[in-house]
Amino acid sequence: MGKVVERVKLKSLFDPEKEIEIDAVVDTGATLLMLPMEVVEKLSLRKIRDVSVRYANNQTQLKAVYGVVTVELKGRIGNFDVLAEEQGSQALIGQIVLEELDLVVDPKRGTLTPNPESPDMPMLEILG
C-alpha cells in the first residue's frame, strides 16, 4: 500500500492574511489535522485546549489543540481545529477532515479524490 501525500492550502480563520501551502500525509488512522508547531506559529493559530493523544506505539501524551484553520484540499474547503506536534514533524490529514470534505482515499493507487457519489460538493451523512 502506498503513502498518500497531498498539497494542502491552510489559512488562519482569525487572521486570513496568514496563509501557507504544505505537503501533508493522508493518515486514515489519525483523527484530527496534525501540523508541526512551526506551521501553527506561522498561521498565528490560537490555543484552544489540551487533549490526551494515543500514538500508534500505544504511548499517550498531552498535546495542545489550536484553531481555527481553513483547509483547502481537492477544491473543497472546511474549518478545523489542529493538533500541534513537535517542530519538524510531518503534517497529517486525519479522518475528521476526510469525512467533512467527503474525500476518498485509495491507498493502493496513492490517490485522494472527492467522493464520486458527490463530485460537486461534500455530502455529509446524518443518521436520524
Side-chain angles (χ1 to χ4, degrees):
M1 302 231 185
K3 181 165 76 167
V4 179
V5 178
E6 287 292 331
R7 192 81 176 157
V8 60
K9 184 188 286 186
L10 306 168
K11 186 185 293 190
S12 172
L13 183 66
F14 300 114
D15 191 354
E17 304 227 347
K18 306 272 181 151
E19 185 177 304
I20 189 171
E21 283 192 37
I22 61 168
D23 291 326
V25 172
V26 177
D27 185 352
T28 58
T31 305
L32 295 175
L33 173 65
M34 189 184 80
L35 297 176
M37 197 61 193
E38 64 266 22
V39 174
V40 170
E41 290 170 350
K42 280 183 187 174
L43 293 170
S44 299
L45 301 180
R46 301 173 188 171
K47 184 176 176 183
I48 298 171
R49 66 185 180 279
D50 289 316
V51 294
S52 183
V53 175
R54 183 184 320 277
Y55 291 92
N57 64 6
N58 233 14
Q59 289 185 338
T60 59
Q61 287 185 2
L62 197 62
K63 293 288 181 174
V65 174
Y66 290 78
V68 172
V69 68
T70 300
V71 172
E72 186 175 336
L73 180 61
K74 295 294 183 181
R76 297 189 172 187
I77 298 172
N79 296 316
F80 302 95
D81 291 342
V82 172
L83 181 70
E85 269 294 346
E86 299 168 5
Q87 300 271 359
S89 60
Q90 176 66 57
L92 300 176
I93 299 167
Q95 280 293 342
I96 290 175
V97 175
L98 298 174
E99 287 288 327
E100 189 170 322
L101 298 183
D102 199 16
L103 298 171
V104 178
V105 182
D106 184 343
K108 194 172 188 179
R109 290 192 175 98
T111 60
L112 180 70
T113 58
N115 185 344
E117 294 178 15
S118 58
D120 298 327
M121 70 177 63
M123 171 92 53
L124 300 178
E125 292 189 28
I126 299 174
L127 301 176

